């Protein structure tokens, strides 16, 4: 067998999102540069979250460049720590990602500081003294290394390596990345969005990839064909007829905006009453709304339309407002973060709404293992929030058609759009069942060499 000298090869290693959907961190080791793609936090299962507290598997000072596909916390949330531990290089991302990322990281640090404080005051921690993973001060230091890149433009890292960002749909600013590395193209999908969503471009074809690294969040599922608007209409009508409330936990960036747009359309079409109040209880989502207005070229929706959508809802920013909304009589629709119910304002609503069968909790995004969202989808009879147990009496529904992720067919279509069979396809960012289903599908339909990336395992791509 031909052996390759690792010092003269291009190697790939996953430090996260390997057989799971969070903690995205990929490292491309080359003879001249070490390049990291995404730098996300682990979320969900405690065993995964514990990894956030471990020192990185590579000394961050040995990483030369960091490229970020999109702003979601599971792709960016570890950046402040990487910098704290010694990463000195640039952090490249698209303009909307940069602005969203600043909001998301500051919010992440704030939540962690608040959670640590609450845990210490109320004593619901088993640790002696709860500490935040990082602080707002750590975030501010990291932001200084951010650099904005333009779409489809080549950026040279050295004589052998350049890169290019191209649209991935998913959320505003989200990109796939093509690394032209020692004469071969390595394409990283990032998170791929759905085709024909109401306000985002469809993912762009990878082009001519020699190696592909593709996400597989919904590698084993097809999204429902049924109209998401009709399903949502039925749920809104149901809560109104019963005097209940509709709680929609959602990612503040991306999902919240698409949902607001859909609800606005349903009101315009008189499918749901104009009078039903819609609350967006998320300081972060309200900031994200403004970012969309700054980058009209990144959405397919005109700014004046966005203004109308935003003026039709009530945005709440402060915590006292949450109590007022909860106490307000009459049916209402509430959108609040976080999308997988791992934290945020949505938990306050859950505490009040879960125990009443007139209420509906609607889950629309992917719910990772170990999150309260997954527990609800699995039919849990009680949910633990801030040390207390809350019985699940409210109805729990899901609409997968509103997901920000491509389904199996859309992932396959993205692969078909590569102009040639790659030397190898690597699958990441999926739970084991999803990865395995997609691996088998690719092998059967495309007959490509396909491998599921394993945590920390070194993959030798090619000699240079
Ligand atoms: Zn994402």
């Amino acid at each position: 067998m031909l052996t390759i000298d690792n010092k003269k090869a291009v190697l790939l290693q996953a430090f996260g999102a390997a057989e799971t959907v969070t903690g995205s961190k990929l490292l491309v080791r080359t003879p001249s540069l070490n390049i990291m793609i995404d730098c996300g936090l682990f979320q969900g299962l405690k065993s995964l979250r514990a990894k956030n507290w471990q020192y990185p598997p590579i000394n961050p000072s040995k990483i030369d460049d960091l490229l970020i596909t999109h702003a979601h916390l599971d792709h960016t949330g570890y950046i402040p720590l990487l910098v704290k531990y010694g990463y000195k290089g640039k952090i490249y991302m698209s303009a909307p990602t940069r602005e969203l990322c600043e909001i998301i990281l500051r919010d992440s640090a704030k939540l962690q500081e608040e959670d640590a404080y609450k845990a210490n005051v109320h004593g619901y921690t088993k640790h002696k003294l709860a500490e935040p993973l990082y602080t707002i001060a750590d975030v501010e230091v990291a932001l200084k290394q951010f650099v904005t890149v333009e779409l489809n433009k080549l950026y040279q890292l050295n004589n052998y390596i350049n890169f290019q960002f191209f649209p991935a749909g998913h959320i505003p600013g989200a990109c796939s990345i093509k690394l032209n590395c020692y004469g071969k193209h390595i394409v990283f999908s990032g998170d791929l969005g759905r085709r024909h969503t109401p306000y985002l471009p469809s993912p762009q074809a990878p082009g001519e990839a020699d190696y592909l690294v593709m996400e597989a969040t919904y590698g084993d599922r097809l999204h429902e064909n049924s109209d998401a608007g009709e399903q949502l209409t039925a749920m809104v009508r149901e809560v109104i007829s019963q005097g209940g409330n509709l709680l929609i936990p959602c990612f503040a960036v991306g999902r919240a905006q698409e949902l607001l747009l859909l609800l606005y359309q349903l009101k315009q079409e008189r499918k749901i009453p104009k009078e039903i109040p819609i609350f967006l209880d998320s300081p972060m989502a309200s900031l994200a709304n403004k970012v969309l207005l700054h980058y009209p070229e990144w959405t397919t929706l005109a700014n004046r339309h966005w203004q109308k959508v935003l003026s039709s809802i009530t945005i709440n920013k402060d915590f006292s407002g949450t109590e007022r909304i909860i106490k307000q009589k009459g049916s209402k629709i509430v959108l609040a973060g976080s999308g997988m119910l791992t934290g945020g304002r949505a938990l306050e609503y859950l505490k009040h709404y879960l125990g009443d069968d007139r209420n509906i909790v609607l889950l629309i995004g992917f719910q990772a293992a170990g999150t309260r969202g997954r527990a609800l989808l699995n039919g849990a009879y009680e949910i633990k929030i801030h040390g207390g147990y809350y019985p699940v009496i409210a109805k729990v529904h899901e609409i997968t058609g509103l997901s920000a992720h491509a389904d199996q067919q859309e992932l396959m279509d993205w692969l078909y759009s590569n102009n040639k069979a790659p030397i190898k396809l690597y699958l990441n960012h999926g739970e084991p069942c999803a990865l395995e289903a997609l691996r088998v599908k690719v092998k059967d339909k495309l007959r490509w060499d396909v491998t599921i990336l394993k945590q920390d395992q070194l993959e030798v791509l090619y000699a240079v």
Side-chain angles (χ1 to χ4, degrees), residues 70-72 74-75 170-171 191 251 404-405 429:
H70 69 287
H72 276 151
D74 63 314
H75 293 255
H170 186 54
I171 64 166
D191 285 4
F251 274 124
H405 284 273
H429 201 290

Side-chain angles (χ1 to χ4, degrees), residues 65-316:
D65 296 283
L66 173 57
L67 316 180
I68 299 294
T69 60
H70 69 287
H72 276 151
L73 196 66
D74 63 314
H75 293 255
T76 61
Y78 196 81
I79 294 175
L81 283 176
L82 198 80
V83 170
K84 193 175 166 180
Y85 290 141
Y87 176 69
K88 295 270 187 294
K90 290 175 179 165
I91 306 172
Y92 300 92
M93 63 192 81
S94 72
T97 297
R98 181 175 186 166
E99 211 170 317
L100 291 169
C101 197
E102 288 180 7
I103 296 167
I104 286 173
L105 292 184
R106 285 187 180 123
D107 182 74
S108 167
K110 190 164 141 271
L111 282 177
Q112 288 171 54
E113 288 182 14
E114 281 173 6
D115 282 351
Y117 174 77
K118 279 190 215 156
N120 290 328
V121 170
H122 301 297
Y124 53 74
T125 173
K126 294 188 187 75
H127 305 286
K128 279 201 188 86
L129 189 67
E131 280 189 51
L133 194 54
Y134 49 81
T135 63
I136 291 175
D138 295 325
V139 171
E140 297 304 327
V141 172
L143 297 185
K144 294 194 174 74
Q145 286 162 244
F146 282 20
V147 173
T148 308
V149 299
E150 289 173 34
L151 275 179
N152 296 313
K153 197 172 154 184
L154 279 182
Y155 291 85
Q156 205 79 32
L157 291 177
N158 66 16
N159 286 341
Y160 314 100
I161 306 170
N162 63 48
F163 69 84
Q164 203 176 355
F165 278 48
F166 59 97
H170 186 54
I171 64 166
C175 290
S176 302
I177 298 172
K178 180 183 283 183
L179 207 58
N180 305 312
C181 183
Y182 288 87
K184 294 216 187 308
H185 298 305
I186 312 169
V187 171
F188 301 87
S189 71
D191 285 4
L192 290 172
R194 308 204 59 201
R195 272 172 309 178
H196 314 304
T197 61
Y199 80 110
L200 289 171
S202 296
Q204 191 177 303
E208 295 242 333
D210 298 295
Y211 292 87
L212 276 164
V213 183
M214 187 179 76
E215 68 122 324
T217 313
Y218 285 109
D220 58 347
R221 277 178 75 166
L222 294 178
H223 295 320
E224 300 145 317
N225 270 333
S226 51
D227 187 324
E230 277 174 25
Q231 290 172 280
L232 191 54
T233 300
M235 285 178 217
V236 174
R237 287 182 181 168
E238 187 182 331
V239 290
I240 292 173
S241 72
Q242 298 184 344
N245 301 293
L246 177 62
L247 172 63
I248 314 178
C250 52
F251 274 124
V253 176
R255 282 318 72 199
Q257 289 74 24
E258 189 164 332
L259 207 56
L260 291 176
L261 181 60
L262 181 57
L263 287 164
Y264 176 79
Q265 282 164 350
L266 294 177
K267 281 193 174 186
Q268 292 303 111
E269 293 162 7
R270 302 194 182 281
K271 289 184 175 160
I272 61 172
K274 275 206 162 151
E275 303 74 45
I276 184 161
I278 299 173
F279 294 97
L280 176 62
D281 192 352
S282 162
M284 187 158 61
S286 76
L287 289 169
N289 292 342
K290 289 187 190 129
V291 177
L292 286 192
L293 296 171
H294 297 164
Y295 300 99
E297 70 278 19
W298 281 81
T299 85
T300 52
L301 202 70
N303 262 0
R304 58 193 153 70
H305 198 84
W306 262 123
Q307 307 272 22
K308 280 189 199 161
V309 173
L310 295 178
S311 62
S312 72
I313 57 157
T314 306
I315 297 174
N316 178 51

